[in-house]
Amino acid sequence: VRFWLATYIRAQIALKPKPAVAAIKFTNYAAGARKLGMSTTAAEGGACRALVASNQMTKAARYCLTARQNANRTDVLATFLLEESLGEIDLALGKPAEALKRFNGLLAEPLAPVFKARADRVLALRAKAKAQLGNYDSAYEDATAAMNISTERNEAMQEREIARLRARFSWDRQRI
């Protein structure tokens, strides 16, 4: 079990810089977890996201759908991320209407404010779907809203970092 957990953690670490490597690690973890009778939802969801990042949409769709079927209904975050990935796959496969339905559903979720960290990404993806459908005014509104959310988050992060550095330098000055 430790080996499979280590495999999963290595896959998570590789997801951003090397999605193709992460996809292999996640699929290996899913196979091992299946053999041990463990849940494969996290591994299949990770494989889905890694394959989307690697632009292997057909294969990603299989992993996303399997993970969604196996997901615990109370795992709202996993479901949210899987629907986001499925919408991105729909966009890449030339199905903007299906993608738009998914993104609208995600943004209408009662728990959507909890996922504000992802809202800018979902809005940006929804803007792409609307643009592909020729609804450019609405796409522009979504793109602007996505940019505003992202800007607010970045400014808040910068303010926290400045406050942390000021406190550190103040502490250092007191010690001298």
Side-chain angles (χ1 to χ4, degrees):
V1 174
R2 275 191 214 155
F3 171 76
W4 296 114
L5 182 59
T7 302
Y8 178 78
I9 291 170
R10 283 193 295 272
Q12 283 288 84
I13 292 168
L15 187 57
K16 292 270 186 207
K18 298 179 183 176
V21 171
I24 293 168
K25 290 184 182 303
F26 278 123
T27 54
N28 288 344
Y29 173 78
R34 235 179 263 108
K35 287 179 187 174
L36 295 173
M38 297 167 53
S39 172
T40 60
T41 303
E44 288 164 341
C48 168
R49 288 189 305 280
L51 290 164
V52 167
S54 300
N55 205 27
Q56 299 178 48
M57 299 303 182
T58 306
K59 195 172 180 182
R62 283 191 307 239
Y63 278 97
C64 278
L65 292 170
T66 303
R68 193 177 66 185
Q69 286 174 341
N70 296 334
N72 185 337
R73 298 212 184 270
T74 60
D75 194 350
V76 183
L77 179 59
T79 304
F80 187 94
L81 294 173
L82 289 167
E83 282 298 310
E84 180 185 317
S85 294
L86 285 165
E88 196 169 351
I89 291 166
D90 287 339
L91 272 179
L93 296 178
K95 302 176 192 173
E98 287 86 351
L100 184 59
K101 284 181 198 172
R102 287 186 197 280
F103 299 137
N104 284 338
L106 288 173
L107 293 168
E109 252 326 288
L111 294 174
V114 174
F115 303 112
K116 193 167 184 169
R118 303 293 297 181
D120 58 335
R121 178 159 168 68
V122 175
L123 281 166
L125 290 167
R126 186 170 78 171
K128 279 185 184 180
K130 288 179 176 180
Q132 285 182 14
L133 291 168
N135 191 349
Y136 300 109
D137 290 339
S138 185
Y140 180 76
E141 288 172 12
D142 280 353
T144 302
M147 186 179 67
N148 289 340
I149 291 171
S150 181
T151 301
E152 285 174 21
R153 185 175 56 244
N154 289 338
E155 287 173 355
M157 287 170 49
Q158 287 175 344
E159 288 173 14
R160 281 193 300 272
E161 181 63 14
I162 289 169
R164 186 188 69 76
L165 290 172
R166 282 184 180 149
R168 179 178 171 202
F169 292 137
S170 175
W171 174 256
D172 288 346
R173 258 189 260 136
Q174 289 174 10
R175 290 185 359 191
I176 294 177

